[in-house]
Amino acid sequence: SAIFDFSSLITVVLLFIVTCTYLRGFRSTIFDNAPSADGAINRHEGLLGFCWKASRIGERKSEWVGLACVGMAVHV
């Protein structure tokens, strides 16, 4: 039901970004893939890759994510 309501969708996305950022800060290698046997560069794919990207957004754009969270708190 959060898909059809824009404010609920934004709230879910913000909570996902904040949660992934917190988990990465708590345990820094949680979303990293295990090193491959042939030494190839690891790609962040699948669900863990999506969580890794969300945590990077939370780290790099923390001011904007925080401002969006405050805005959603005022809105709700």
Side-chain angles (χ1 to χ4, degrees), residues 14-71:
L14 283 172
L15 286 173
F16 182 73
I17 289 172
V18 169
T19 302
C20 289
T21 305
Y22 174 76
L23 289 175
R24 186 173 167 94
F26 185 67
R27 178 178 271 175
S28 62
T29 59
I30 192 167
F31 301 128
D32 292 335
N33 295 336
S36 59
D38 60 352
I41 298 173
N42 291 331
R43 300 184 130 194
H44 298 285
E45 297 175 342
L47 181 62
L48 288 178
F50 189 65
C51 293
W52 181 82
K53 289 174 187 176
S55 70
R56 294 300 289 181
I57 290 170
E59 288 174 355
R60 293 185 179 179
K61 303 291 183 185
S62 62
E63 295 85 14
W64 292 103
V65 172
L67 184 64
C69 288
V70 168

Side-chain angles (χ1 to χ4, degrees), residues 1-13:
S1 67
I3 296 172
F4 300 113
D5 185 22
F6 185 70
S7 64
S8 297
L9 177 69
I10 296 297
T11 304
V12 169
V13 169

